[in-house]
């Protein structure tokens, strides 16, 4: 059974003082995209890229619909943001995503030079930011990312947990 960690007791970055109102507001936008994914029977993860207080990229998981293992919410949002800025360098941007990024998405974040990532629920099975790996702050790499985790973690985790509980009730993987 998959369990998403909603707690903040072991991470000082998750304290209420570390979360600004704008982070919560942007995360609610990403969360609405996660709900859209669930309506399409996709794993309910949503992501947005914000540049100068404007969303320039958004996405939700579309692996089933597109039959593409790389169609994660973050990848779609990053692709849209790059097109909007006409650059692969997403400097001065923040990525908001409802679930801690996996290794593939963390790699894309590093390649895009995104300076800041805000995520909701931790992913103990595939998280590459805090849970399993710390790719975004590996000193051996040429780019480090400011991370704020746990923003609306309970809400972000709840939609994932409910989605997978419903799948198990239907006998699906």
């Amino acid at each position: 059974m998959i369990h998403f960690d909603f707690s903040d007791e072991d991470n000082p970055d998750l304290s209420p003082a570390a979360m600004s109102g704008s982070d919560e507001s942007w995360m609610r936008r990403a969360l609405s995209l996660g709900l859209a994914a669930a309506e399409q029977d996709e794993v309910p993860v949503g992501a947005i890229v914000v540049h100068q207080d404007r969303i320039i990229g958004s996405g939700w998981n579309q692996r089933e619909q597109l039959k593409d293992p790389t169609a994660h919410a973050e990848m779609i949002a990053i692709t849209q943001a790059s097109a909007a800025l006409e650059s692969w360098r997403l400097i001065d941007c923040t990525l908001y995503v409802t679930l801690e990024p996996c290794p593939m998405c963390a790699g894309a974040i590093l390649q895009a030079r995104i300076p800041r990532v805000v995520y909701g629920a931790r992913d103990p099975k595939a998280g590459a930011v805090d849970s399993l790996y710390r790719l975004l702050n590996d000193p051996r790499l040429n780019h480090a990312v400011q991370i704020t985790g746990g923003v609306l973690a309970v809400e972000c985790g709840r939609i994932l947990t409910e989605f997978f509980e419903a799948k198990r009730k239907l006998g699906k993987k």
Side-chain angles (χ1 to χ4, degrees):
M1 174 174 15
I2 296 174
H3 170 71
F4 297 94
D5 183 2
F6 316 135
S7 67
D8 62 357
E9 57 201 35
D10 60 343
N11 188 341
D13 290 336
L14 305 185
S15 68
M19 293 188 274
S20 71
S22 61
D23 282 350
E24 289 183 9
S25 175
W26 292 121
M27 186 61 75
R28 288 195 191 288
R29 300 289 292 273
L31 194 53
S32 71
L33 294 170
L35 293 169
E39 290 174 6
Q40 296 178 12
D41 204 30
E42 296 277 358
V43 175
V45 177
I48 61 170
V49 176
V50 175
H51 178 260
Q52 297 177 349
D53 289 324
R54 184 172 69 89
I55 296 173
I56 60 167
S58 63
W60 59 84
N61 278 359
Q62 297 181 47
R63 292 189 321 171
E64 299 299 328
Q65 179 183 358
L66 298 177
K67 310 289 188 262
D68 179 355
T70 68
H72 287 200
E74 301 96 310
M75 302 295 281
I76 294 167
I78 289 169
T79 299
Q80 286 182 8
S82 294
L85 292 181
E86 298 180 345
S87 176
W88 60 269
R89 289 181 182 91
L90 299 181
I91 55 175
D92 299 324
C93 292
T94 299
L95 171 71
Y96 292 86
V97 60
T98 58
L99 181 64
E100 178 183 359
C102 72
M104 174 184 68
C105 294
I109 290 162
L110 291 166
Q111 290 298 316
R113 307 299 193 267
I114 296 173
R116 183 167 184 250
V117 171
V118 178
Y119 72 87
R122 285 187 176 199
D123 185 351
K125 299 280 186 185
V129 175
D130 286 318
S131 297
L132 293 179
Y133 307 103
R134 295 181 182 268
L135 291 178
L136 299 185
N137 286 311
D138 188 319
R140 297 169 294 181
L141 300 174
N142 66 340
H143 179 67
V145 178
Q146 178 188 353
I147 300 160
T148 303
V151 175
L152 300 181
V154 172
E155 293 94 328
C156 293
R158 183 178 300 123
I159 66 167
L160 287 157
T161 299
E162 289 172 357
F163 177 82
F164 287 114
E165 284 175 353
K167 289 289 184 192
R168 282 191 294 279
K169 285 181 183 174
L170 293 173
K172 295 182 180 179
K173 292 182 182 178

